[in-house]
Amino acid sequence: MERQKEEYIEIDLLRLLRALWKRGGTILLSALLCGAAGFGLAFWVIPPEYQASALLYVNNSSISVGSTSISLSDLSASQTLVDTYIAILQTRLTLNEVLERLDLDYDYEEFCEMIEAKAVNHTEIFEVTVTSRDPREAERVANTITVVLPSKIAQIVDGSSVRTVDYAVVPEKCHSPSITVCTLVGILAGALLSCGVVVAQELLDEQIHSEEELLQTYSLPVLAAVPDMLAPQAGQGYGSYHKEPEGKERL
């Protein structure tokens, strides 16, 4: 059986770097254009979203009032209740009551995606965050939850309650999109895309550009070279006169 010849592709990193440096202006222009596009999308196209947050505390009745010592089991029980209360918050019964109080036109699935709740640093305090395109609506929903949720928990879980630690305020700045991040992502994407195009063109280029490249790539001696007859010499243009040493002129 004939042995199959393995083909290897040699990549000249210096050649690629020279190509990137030579087309640095094009790469920079592409990065700036893509950065401007990212800025435009974040500033004019993507609608801004605002977030308002309220803090709630899990009150475990198993911890006696005025007790000077709290065991680890008491703390663990309170932290476990945080997950339970978050699950109650996300139920259809709780969120539908919030919608009715605020008279909002959202369905349950859409409204549930706007609300996020999580424990704060593994403590008995959990944070309810509402995301909306209207900053006042985000604040109203978060504060309404602090009113509706304790009553729902009191109906379901015996011996535990929720207290409000901090109410939500109307956000002054949008949470997303970030104009800075979108602009930087656009600049980076434009630079990488243009660099990829330059590298691909160099790798697919099979022309011989110099005698050294011919020797290094194919190990073939150069017997002769054909001069570029169309290129004018330095200081001369096409159709110019050349003076002979004797003073004669020729075309």
Side-chain angles (χ1 to χ4, degrees):
M1 296 178 62
E2 297 182 355
R3 296 182 179 179
Q4 296 181 352
K5 296 182 179 179
E6 297 182 359
E7 296 183 357
Y8 297 93
I9 300 177
E10 295 183 0
I11 299 177
D12 190 351
L13 295 180
L14 293 178
R15 176 183 172 184
L16 295 180
L17 292 177
R18 285 194 297 268
L20 293 174
W21 177 260
K22 183 179 179 181
R23 303 182 185 179
T26 304
I27 295 174
L28 179 61
L29 179 61
S30 176
L32 292 178
L33 290 177
C34 291
F39 175 85
L41 287 175
F43 194 80
W44 287 294
V45 179
I46 303 177
E49 292 184 343
Y50 300 86
Q51 284 189 344
S53 301
L55 295 178
L56 301 172
Y57 171 73
V58 174
N59 182 25
N60 190 357
S61 62
S62 62
I63 302 176
S64 59
V65 179
S67 176
T68 57
S69 62
I70 300 177
S71 63
L72 293 177
S73 60
D74 294 334
L75 294 177
S76 178
S78 298
Q79 292 174 3
T80 303
L81 285 175
V82 171
D83 297 333
T84 303
Y85 291 174
I86 292 176
I88 295 175
L89 167 63
Q90 296 174 344
T91 58
R92 189 181 297 272
L93 185 64
T94 302
L95 295 184
N96 283 341
E97 183 172 343
V98 175
L99 289 173
E100 291 176 0
R101 290 200 177 198
L102 297 176
D103 193 21
L104 297 177
D105 190 16
Y106 292 108
D107 56 18
Y108 168 74
E109 289 76 12
E110 185 180 4
F111 192 55
C112 188
E113 293 180 356
M114 296 170 53
I115 300 172
E116 181 184 2
K118 62 181 179 180
V120 178
N121 297 328
H122 304 286
T123 62
E124 298 83 15
I125 298 176
F126 65 98
E127 181 182 30
V128 179
T129 303
V130 180
T131 303
S132 175
R133 295 181 181 178
D134 185 356
R136 296 187 178 276
E137 182 182 82
E139 178 265 339
R140 291 173 55 205
V141 171
N143 288 330
T144 304
I145 289 175
T146 62
V147 177
V148 174
L149 184 59
S151 61
K152 293 299 180 183
I153 290 175
Q155 297 173 5
I156 299 173
V157 182
D158 296 331
S160 297
S161 61
V162 173
R163 296 179 181 178
T164 302
V165 177
D166 193 12
Y167 289 99
V169 296
V170 179
E172 297 180 357
K173 297 181 180 180
C174 66
H175 175 263
S176 65
S178 175
I179 296 179
T180 302
V181 173
C182 291
T183 303
L184 292 178
V185 170
I187 292 175
L188 181 60
L192 291 178
L193 181 61
S194 56
C195 288
V197 172
V198 172
V199 171
Q201 289 179 347
E202 288 297 320
L203 293 178
L204 297 176
D205 187 7
E206 297 180 353
Q207 295 181 357
I208 303 300
H209 298 275
S210 64
E211 299 178 6
E212 292 77 9
E213 183 180 352
L214 184 62
L215 293 173
Q216 294 176 0
T217 306
Y218 301 100
S219 299
L220 296 176
V222 178
L223 301 179
V226 179
D228 190 358
M229 302 300 295
L230 297 178
Q233 298 180 359
Q236 296 182 0
Y238 294 105
S240 61
Y241 288 94
H242 176 73
K243 292 186 178 181
E244 291 291 336
E246 293 80 3
K248 297 182 179 180
E249 295 183 354
R250 68 177 183 179
L251 285 174

